[in-house]
Amino acid sequence: MKKRLSCIILTLVMIISLVPFAAAASDEATEAAEALYELGLFKGTGTNPDGTPIFDLDKTPTRNQAIIMLVRLLGKEEEAKAGTWKIPFTDVSDSMKPYIGYAYTNGLTNGTSATTYSGGNPIRANQYITFVLRSLGYTSGKDFAVSTAWEFSDKIGLTDERYNQSTNEFLRGDIALISYRALSINLKGTAVSLQQKLEKEKQGDYWAWYEVDDLGRLRMKTNLTVSNPKRYWVLVELHFANGSKSYDSQGTASSLVQYDFNSLLSYWNKGTVINSVDFYVYEDASTHTAFWAQWDESRGLEKSFAAVADNLIAQFTLDNSIFIQTTSSQFELTSLSINRNEEAKNETYTAYISPEILDEGEYGLVYERGSGRQNQNLTYMRRADGYLTFTREIDHFAPPGANGTFYISHNYFALSETDDIVCSVTRSTGYKYQF
């Protein structure tokens, strides 16, 4: 009898001990849903008699419902409804096409097969976490595995170790929790949170941020879009930690105005810290010519910027410290050739290296002659068909008959360590090169 009574008491204690945790989880989900509702990012399934929303947080959401919530979380519902989207799925209703079309086009979701989306199926924890991670800029199959997406989301603070392979129940309350936490998570490689991004977009302001990818490449990105990108040009002023400044210009190559730090990172020092960046966008592509003409003539910034002031359409300043990341690796070079094209008036430099390390880091080309290495000629070599290639106008590096050495380096913006040098070639008279 005593043994049975003890078992009953133990059972009651276990049940009672579970109640506060269940209630807390429900309260937490409700608070998240209410916060998202106030921000206009989460809607209920209806309203109570007093006008308050019904969230139905204990209901199991479908893939359709989850994608609607995701699009709303990103503040893109109006854009989704206004767009015309092409999708390969044959089982999507007209009412769902804007949401699934937007998410699919922007790489946030895939189907369950090449032609089906299965929107009526319940959404699983790893699937919705995957949606959100993608919206933060992470890539499935690279940054994380879809089947265990919670492992990566736990690491970045999006989730709190409550999801795993044993998770069978995933509710609307879970979506509210994950969505709310996503607002405080920085976009991949940036110092900008999802909420900051949404606030900026809502204000309608021009704004900019920086991203650093896995290879350490730095890019300035903006929310400024243009209808005719060929008419736009970017000028950049960098302020380094040591007090020095540097300038560069770059034409836009897409409707999203951004700047890739390919040529600007032509410096010897590794691990450069940029304290701030002034980022100017001009409407006329000829502005860079006018800017540099004044720069060459007067060496004065005031005159240089004054020469292009009338065409300025946007100006950004980033004051977050940006650390330029680097990578290192061992190389196996099989050959390097330099081919001169008299008709096209250019020279193409081609380096063949081990395929297995071709995707690691970036590569620079430096020319050295009697006066020393010419760091202004340190240039990014692009990958193409398994090799590195770079084409420049004839005699860019040296006049006819000049002698010197070309260096191919790992870390295209630095050549300060011997280990970075992959190979070198000597240039002799008559435009013949020997490896």
Side-chain angles (χ1 to χ4, degrees):
M1 181 67 179
K2 287 184 179 181
K3 184 176 180 181
R4 181 180 179 188
L5 181 60
S6 297
C7 291
I8 294 173
I9 292 173
L10 179 60
T11 302
L12 288 173
V13 169
M14 292 176 64
I15 293 173
I16 293 171
S17 67
L18 291 174
V19 172
F21 291 97
S26 178
D27 290 343
E28 188 181 8
T30 300
E31 291 173 1
E34 290 174 345
L36 291 170
Y37 179 79
E38 291 299 322
L39 292 172
L41 304 177
F42 194 75
K43 296 182 180 180
T45 56
T47 55
N48 293 306
D50 61 358
T52 57
I54 300 173
F55 294 126
D56 278 336
L57 300 180
D58 58 345
K59 302 293 185 182
T60 300
T62 63
R63 284 171 55 84
N64 277 346
Q65 293 169 339
I67 213 66
I68 291 175
M69 294 180 195
L70 178 71
V71 172
R72 287 173 178 168
L73 170 68
L74 300 177
K76 298 298 184 181
E77 186 169 23
E78 295 304 317
E79 182 178 336
K81 289 182 176 180
T84 301
W85 312 102
K86 294 182 179 181
I87 54 177
F89 313 122
T90 59
D91 60 346
V92 176
S93 66
D94 290 340
S95 61
M96 284 303 303
K97 282 183 179 179
Y99 299 97
I100 296 174
Y102 175 87
Y104 178 77
T105 301
N106 287 278
L108 303 177
T109 186
N110 294 315
T112 53
S113 75
T115 57
T116 60
Y117 186 75
S118 305
N121 290 355
I123 188 76
R124 296 183 178 277
N126 67 304
Q127 292 174 338
Y128 190 72
I129 293 172
T130 293
F131 291 168
V132 175
L133 288 176
R134 287 171 178 163
S135 70
L136 293 171
Y138 294 100
T139 303
S140 56
K142 180 180 180 181
D143 296 311
F144 66 95
V146 172
S147 60
T148 56
W150 46 71
E151 293 180 358
F152 184 77
S153 63
D154 286 342
K155 291 180 181 179
I156 66 172
L158 177 62
T159 52
D160 56 1
E161 301 183 358
R162 71 177 65 194
Y163 307 106
N164 50 54
Q165 296 285 7
S166 301
T167 302
N168 294 318
E169 186 178 64
F170 188 73
L171 307 176
R172 284 173 58 90
D174 293 295
I175 284 184
L177 280 171
I178 294 171
S179 299
Y180 183 68
R181 286 180 177 171
L183 294 177
S184 62
I185 304 297
N186 287 349
L187 304 178
K188 178 185 177 182
T190 80
V192 180
S193 70
L194 178 59
Q195 185 166 2
Q196 289 173 322
K197 179 176 182 291
L198 294 176
E199 288 173 351
K200 290 286 188 180
E201 290 178 346
K202 190 175 182 179
Q203 293 169 5
D205 295 337
Y206 292 141
W207 67 290
W209 66 97
Y210 71 86
E211 293 184 358
V212 180
D213 68 12
D214 293 338
L215 299 180
R217 293 173 298 194
L218 182 65
R219 170 177 289 175
M220 294 268 299
K221 303 190 75 171
T222 80
N223 68 332
L224 177 65
T225 58
V226 297
S227 57
N228 185 3
K230 292 182 179 180
R231 289 180 51 82
Y232 289 81
W233 203 266
V234 174
L235 289 175
V236 175
E237 179 180 23
L238 268 75
H239 302 261
F240 294 98
N242 62 7
S244 63
K245 297 180 182 179
S246 185
Y247 303 88
D248 196 23
S249 59
Q250 192 174 102
T252 59
S254 65
S255 59
L256 180 65
V257 176
Q258 60 188 31
Y259 179 91
D260 295 317
F261 287 75
N262 287 340
S263 59
L264 195 59
L265 297 185
S266 301
Y267 298 95
W268 300 119
N269 52 322
K270 299 178 67 173
T272 302
V273 175
I274 302 173
N275 281 346
S276 63
V277 181
D278 291 327
F279 186 57
Y280 304 88
V281 180
Y282 292 91
E283 189 172 9
D284 188 347
S286 65
T287 53
H288 78 292
T289 302
F291 177 89
W292 291 112
Q294 289 293 326
W295 172 267
D296 290 337
E297 178 183 343
S298 65
R299 296 292 176 180
L301 292 178
E302 186 175 346
K303 289 184 178 180
S304 301
F305 280 110
V308 294
D310 291 341
N311 292 324
L312 182 67
I313 62 170
Q315 178 179 346
F316 312 95
T317 297
L318 291 181
D319 56 8
N320 299 80
S321 291
I322 304 171
F323 186 80
I324 302 171
Q325 302 172 3
T326 62
T327 57
S328 61
S329 182
Q330 297 297 316
F331 300 88
E332 180 185 347
L333 183 75
T334 57
S335 66
L336 187 143
S337 62
I338 305 176
N339 299 311
R340 184 179 177 88
N341 188 324
E342 295 286 353
E343 183 178 355
K345 300 297 182 183
N346 62 36
E347 296 171 332
T348 298
Y349 309 82
T350 304
Y352 295 84
I353 62 174
S354 305
E356 63 270 21
I357 58 98
L358 193 58
D359 291 330
E360 295 184 14
E362 305 227 356
Y363 304 82
L365 178 64
V366 181
Y367 178 68
E368 179 183 43
R369 50 181 174 173
S371 59
R373 291 172 182 164
Q374 308 298 302
N375 71 328
Q376 67 267 30
N377 293 332
L378 184 58
T379 306
Y380 172 50
M381 297 188 71
R382 300 186 181 279
R383 304 182 185 92
D385 299 328
Y387 54 85
L388 303 175
T389 181
F390 169 67
T391 300
R392 196 71 192 240
E393 66 271 15
I394 281 180
D395 303 332
H396 172 78
F397 288 101
N403 294 318
T405 301
F406 288 96
Y407 293 89
I408 304 298
S409 67
H410 194 214
N411 301 322
Y412 69 97
F413 55 88
L415 190 55
S416 59
E417 297 181 9
T418 304
D419 290 343
D420 289 327
I421 298 175
V422 179
C423 70
S424 64
V425 291
T426 300
R427 175 174 184 156
S428 59
T429 58
Y431 300 107
K432 295 180 181 178
Y433 304 89
Q434 64 184 97
F435 170 65

